[in-house]
Amino acid sequence: MSGGEKIAVRVTEKTPLNDLVTRFRFEAVDGRPLPTFSGGAHTVVEMKDGDRNRLNPYSLMSDPFDRGSYTISVRRDDAGRGGSKFLHSAVDVGDEITISYPVNLFSLDLRARKHLMLAGGIGITPFLAQIKQLDRSHGHWELHYSVRTESLGSYVAELTAEHPNDVHVYYDDRGQRIDLDALLRGQPLGTHVYVCGPKGMIDWVHRTAEARGWPAEAVHSEEFLAPEPGKAFTVELTQAGKTVEVGETESLLEALERVGEDPPYLCRGGACGQCETAVVSADGTILHRDHWLTEEEKAAGAKIMPCVSRFEGTSLVLDR
Amino acid sequence: MTIQFRDETFRDDYTFRNSRWAIERFPFPFHEDSFMYSVNMEQHRGGPAGSVYEKRFDVDEHYVSEMRDRALVLAEDPLRCQSLPHMTLAGWDLLELIMVAKSEDYPDLFQLHRDGDRWRWVNRPLGIDDTFTFLDDTTLPHGPMEYITRQTQGDFCVLDQRDDNLWMDAGMVTTQADWSLDFDLGMNFFEWHAPVPKAHEMGIFQRALKFLLNIQQGAPARRLNWTMTVNPLLDTSPENYHRWGIQKTTLTPENIGRKQHLRVELQTFFRLPRSNALVFPIRCYLCSFEDLTTVSKWGRRLHRVVRDLPVELATYKGFVDNRPMMLDYLSQFDDGLPTSPGIWPDLETEPPLRMG
Ligand code: HEM
Ligand code: FES
């Protein structure tokens, strides 16, 4: 289960918001309710682009308690790996795609007395879901949202109409900036800060908060882990005398099982040590993603954990 | 099958017994003839039909009586159930998880009717038929976690996840192996595990925590843990040690088969959707030595495991003093024959005890 649980969905709406951002709505193909999630969660969208699979994480922006559909907003990134361009150009209403179960690496700290949210550009999306969640539980929040121009300010109109007192918008092209120092100084005790936006903004918020003496636990930022699957690779098994192609979205362990091998496993999550396998030779790099091997063992490259780890290079031979 | 709920006690006269069905589905925890701590976690995606692993929340013949015992413990000591204020949402998550799982897995025993936020919950074995508003605390007689865990076997720890750690910020703990929720409340994963010998040095808790932080919605996990209990007591808490600790000295060679129980915890881990908390149900199964040794494979193996267990573990688990008497008793069931790998009883294939 390298990529976690998956859901087959159909695109039921595709709404361009401005020059860069398009919103997509997904509903389950089987018509069953989608899992609820917590504000800040993302889903990994799988896209079949010719013979390659693209996997991109996007924050869920819809109401976390609405199980009828999920929405995401995708900013076209012309310099990126291509997933967002593909969604914009090649995915249409009616298409079926696969998404992961929601995963939250940016959850609200529910102990907070107040949630201070700082968004930059498309970094607004996780906050949209968090705001809906907090409104339901009568949580106390305040959003400071920085956008390049009025026309690129996704959801500014909705947010300011619904929450005129809690939403503050800053336009780059008018020279407006979040006055972070003053903002942090004026917060009540028990406030937690959340930032989602460009890397420079995230670093700036962490730096400034630290300098102002904020405890690190009270400053949260979204960190997207690269989705687990990677490039396809080939592995040779000495005991079984087989050569196996490991696809982009399957784990090495799954590939071994697919060709009829029965390697030991327990956790399938890189923790239990059961699947440890000796590397006979490797011409390339083993991408160790487990918590089992020590740093020294990982550096030595004589062992691999097939449930989570991968390989990039020309040849990998395993003692299996 | 329909479950015949037993009317029995886990205190005073100890009328708890396992039926043949319960003995053969007992979660025997040893997959080989020796035991050491390990990161023994696997996915919780069902198991063989009839086994305790099959359903998300196993319900068995002890259900009704266990819930009665829980109510007795809570009446004496309300601090066995605590939830810090920020954990209420996780309590609702847990209520939903259990109600959905039980009504799908045991439709003849439990029913859930949902009309938007208006929910009706029918629990036939306990004679409950309640209608309430989901996420509205004022519509239930207790908080959501307490409400549902008064109706579900096993202890429950509800862990808040933050700062790359898990925090014991809520729980219902009345059937525990000598640890205290009131003491551990608010602690993190390393703090509450501090008393465990050897496992820290073996790197088990580091790895286990990383795995747990990664558990995702829809992909629960499980593991087994075990200890020993004299008399079929569910509530072996530090709070009541003065009552049960002394019972360990009442073992005799004559009564040990009946009184000494292997206590196994089926521990599961579920990510909760709205709160992003993790719930850790700890389901306790008890089986007397007398009953366990009716399965020839388990008799042989239990003797070997108890004999060879490192003294630190026997001490931590609280049976080092009684170990010699246990071994005298168990050795009768070990004829030295090899045992088959794995935890299953293998009743058809394992040879009967060969001894005179
Ligand atoms: C988040 C879930 C967990 C909770 C709430 C939890 C809680 C506890 C508690 C309260 C104890 C008793 C400590 C004492 O003596 O006071 C304990 C013991 C222990 N835990 Fe955990 N635990 C969790 C997960 C795990 C995992 C994943 C592992 C290993 C893979 C583990 C391994 C152990 C071991 C080996 C012991 C000693 C048990 C014995 O020998 O009887 N725990 N745990
Ligand atoms: S199966 Fe547990 S580490 Fe690979």
Side-chain angles (χ1 to χ4, degrees):
Chain A
M1 54 137 235
S2 48
E5 285 291 286
K6 294 179 180 170
I7 314 167
V9 293
R10 183 172 295 114
V11 179
T12 56
E13 269 175 42
K14 180 178 180 185
T15 316
L17 296 181
N18 52 44
D19 285 353
L20 290 177
V21 179
T22 299
R23 182 174 65 222
F24 295 85
R25 181 179 298 278
F26 303 134
E27 289 172 34
V29 170
D30 64 10
R32 285 171 54 103
L34 293 164
T36 19
F37 60 95
S38 45
H42 69 263
T43 181
V44 177
V45 178
E46 264 181 57
M47 293 162 265
K48 285 244 179 312
D49 181 1
D51 59 357
R52 65 162 300 194
N53 260 301
R54 298 186 179 280
L55 294 165
N56 278 25
Y58 295 102
S59 296
L60 293 165
M61 53 168 279
S62 40
D63 183 345
F65 295 10
D66 173 6
R67 304 184 59 189
S69 64
Y70 287 164
T71 52
I72 61 170
S73 286
V74 180
R75 181 185 190 278
R76 198 180 69 236
D77 181 1
D78 293 319
R81 292 187 304 153
S84 65
K85 263 191 288 186
F86 181 81
L87 268 171
H88 274 246
S89 58
V91 174
D92 272 309
V93 170
D95 287 356
E96 283 184 19
I97 56 174
T98 302
I99 64 173
S100 74
Y101 257 60
V103 177
N104 201 340
L105 303 175
F106 188 49
S107 55
L108 292 168
D109 191 320
L110 296 175
R111 297 169 309 163
R113 297 270 175 72
K114 174 177 173 188
H115 305 272
L116 178 65
M117 302 168 173
L118 307 172
I122 195 63
I124 189 65
T125 51
F127 294 124
L128 296 172
Q130 291 182 336
I131 287 171
K132 289 177 190 113
Q133 175 174 343
L134 287 172
D135 278 347
R136 203 175 284 251
S137 59
H138 311 291
H140 181 25
W141 60 272
E142 184 178 307
L143 171 73
H144 294 261
Y145 179 18
S146 160
V147 300
R148 277 176 26 203
T149 65
E150 191 166 345
S151 61
L152 288 177
S154 313
Y155 307 109
V156 162
E158 294 89 320
L159 282 166
T160 45
E162 281 172 38
H163 310 282
N165 300 324
D166 301 319
V167 173
H168 308 264
V169 183
Y170 305 78
Y171 298 98
D172 283 357
D173 64 344
R174 298 180 202 163
Q176 298 172 344
R177 294 274 176 282
I178 299 175
D179 185 354
L180 190 55
D181 252 323
L183 200 54
L184 292 177
R185 227 178 299 127
Q187 295 308 316
L189 208 67
T191 301
H192 279 242
V193 178
Y194 304 82
V195 53
C196 185
K199 187 160 184 326
M201 176 178 186
I202 294 174
D203 293 345
W204 169 62
V205 171
H206 279 290
R207 249 190 348 261
T208 313
E210 194 189 333
R212 295 231 129 264
W214 281 62
E217 311 86 72
V219 185
H220 310 263
S221 52
E222 165 85 285
E223 35 168 328
F224 276 131
L225 296 186
E228 292 296 296
K231 294 186 187 135
F233 62 99
T234 308
V235 54
E236 211 183 301
L237 309 176
T238 51
Q239 294 179 33
K242 291 179 184 166
T243 301
V244 186
E245 192 65 39
V246 184
E248 287 173 335
T249 58
E250 65 181 349
S251 68
L252 171 52
L253 179 62
E254 287 165 343
L256 298 180
E257 290 169 341
R258 179 168 48 73
V259 300
E261 293 301 301
D262 188 17
Y265 70 84
L266 207 54
C267 69
R268 300 180 87 91
C272 73
Q274 286 295 311
C275 67
E276 186 179 293
T277 301
V279 175
V280 178
S281 69
D283 186 359
T285 316
I286 299 175
L287 307 173
H288 293 289
R289 287 172 175 169
D290 61 275
H291 319 302
W292 175 256
L293 299 173
T294 61
E295 289 313 312
E296 297 80 65
E297 286 173 318
K298 287 180 183 171
K303 292 172 184 169
I304 184 170
M305 310 305 291
C307 63
V308 289
S309 296
R310 303 186 69 84
F311 178 76
E312 275 178 14
T314 44
S315 101
L316 173 67
V317 184
L318 298 182
D319 183 18
R320 271 266 176 252
Chain B
M1 66 171 281
T2 45
I3 304 169
Q4 295 294 319
F5 296 109
R6 300 178 50 89
D7 183 3
E8 59 192 2
T9 57
F10 300 86
R11 53 181 69 214
D12 308 323
D13 56 348
Y14 297 112
T15 58
F16 163 88
R17 297 287 179 279
N18 282 308
S19 68
R20 198 64 224 160
W21 173 72
I23 295 169
E24 288 175 12
R25 74 197 292 276
F26 185 75
F28 190 72
F30 308 116
H31 62 92
E32 58 187 10
D33 285 354
S34 62
F35 176 82
M36 191 42 183
Y37 291 142
S38 65
V39 189
N40 55 337
M41 284 188 282
E42 61 180 339
Q43 296 175 330
H44 186 40
R45 303 260 173 105
S51 73
V52 302
Y53 310 102
E54 185 187 6
K55 314 285 199 210
R56 286 163 279 186
F57 296 90
D58 183 46
V59 176
D60 68 7
E61 61 193 21
H62 308 299
Y63 175 51
V64 174
S65 295
E66 280 188 31
M67 293 301 98
R68 194 184 313 136
D69 196 70
R70 163 156 295 161
L72 291 173
V73 175
L74 288 170
E76 262 191 17
D77 184 359
L79 293 181
R80 302 302 189 83
C81 179
Q82 299 192 47
S83 176
L84 296 179
H86 62 282
M87 299 304 282
T88 306
L89 185 60
W92 283 108
D93 274 333
L94 179 62
L95 174 141
E96 178 185 42
L97 174 71
I98 294 177
M99 287 187 179
V100 169
K102 281 190 167 180
S103 58
E104 287 176 0
D105 292 348
Y106 301 93
D108 50 332
L109 301 180
F110 306 97
Q111 282 121 38
L112 177 63
H113 308 276
R114 287 188 276 191
D115 175 13
D117 284 346
R118 199 83 189 134
W119 292 23
R120 176 169 166 223
W121 167 244
V122 182
N123 177 335
R124 289 190 193 284
L126 297 185
I128 292 169
D129 184 340
D130 283 341
T131 300
F132 59 94
T133 307
F134 187 66
L135 293 176
D136 181 351
D137 303 0
T138 61
T139 59
L140 284 176
H142 304 281
M145 176 190 73
E146 177 168 356
Y147 178 78
I148 196 61
T149 57
R150 278 177 178 267
Q151 304 178 42
T152 311
Q153 287 165 279
D155 282 345
F156 290 80
C157 301
V158 189
L159 299 320
D160 194 19
Q161 179 157 333
R162 46 175 208 269
D163 316 332
D164 289 327
N165 214 323
L166 294 168
W167 303 83
M168 202 179 293
D169 286 350
M172 165 68 90
V173 178
T174 66
T175 68
Q176 69 276 52
D178 201 7
W179 67 276
S180 159
L181 173 70
D182 192 42
F183 184 75
D184 286 0
L185 197 75
M187 285 190 184
N188 71 31
F189 191 78
F190 298 113
E191 290 167 348
W192 78 64
H193 276 122
V196 181
K198 282 181 180 277
H200 293 270
E201 298 86 294
M202 292 166 69
I204 284 175
F205 290 125
Q206 295 276 4
R207 290 169 174 135
L209 176 61
K210 286 193 175 131
F211 181 85
L212 296 180
L213 294 175
N214 256 321
I215 284 185
Q216 295 178 12
Q217 240 175 285
R222 67 179 175 227
R223 68 182 289 265
L224 293 179
N225 185 47
W226 67 277
T227 188
M228 295 285 183
T229 304
V230 174
N231 290 328
L233 257 166
L234 286 175
D235 176 25
T236 50
S237 57
E239 286 88 343
N240 280 333
Y241 188 82
H242 59 285
R243 294 192 198 156
W244 61 270
I246 185 126
Q247 298 182 24
K248 293 200 263 182
T249 63
T250 63
L251 277 192
T252 67
E254 291 69 43
N255 68 22
I256 186 168
R258 252 172 306 122
K259 269 182 175 291
Q260 182 64 58
H261 290 71
L262 178 62
R263 179 189 196 100
V264 176
E265 294 170 350
L266 170 58
Q267 308 180 336
T268 49
F269 308 88
F270 296 81
R271 174 71 56 202
L272 296 175
R274 295 173 182 77
S275 56
N276 204 38
L278 193 76
V279 64
F280 179 59
I282 311 165
R283 172 66 183 280
C284 170
Y285 294 86
L286 294 163
C287 191
S288 68
F289 275 18
E290 196 172 75
D291 286 345
L292 272 175
T293 52
T294 59
V295 176
S296 55
K297 172 177 166 180
W298 292 353
R300 291 183 178 104
R301 182 167 288 168
L302 186 60
H303 174 244
R304 297 168 200 177
V305 169
V306 173
R307 182 188 63 203
D308 300 337
L309 192 75
V311 65
E312 295 93 325
L313 270 68
T315 307
Y316 173 73
K317 289 174 187 286
F319 66 88
V320 75
D321 293 341
N322 283 334
R323 175 147 74 169
M325 202 192 299
M326 289 178 180
L327 289 175
D328 277 347
Y329 177 82
L330 290 172
S331 62
Q332 315 167 57
F333 303 97
D334 187 0
D335 51 16
L337 287 182
T339 52
S340 55
I343 57 174
W344 305 106
D346 298 330
L347 296 170
E348 258 82 80
T349 48
E350 207 70 355
L353 186 68
R354 190 188 61 180
M355 236 181 185

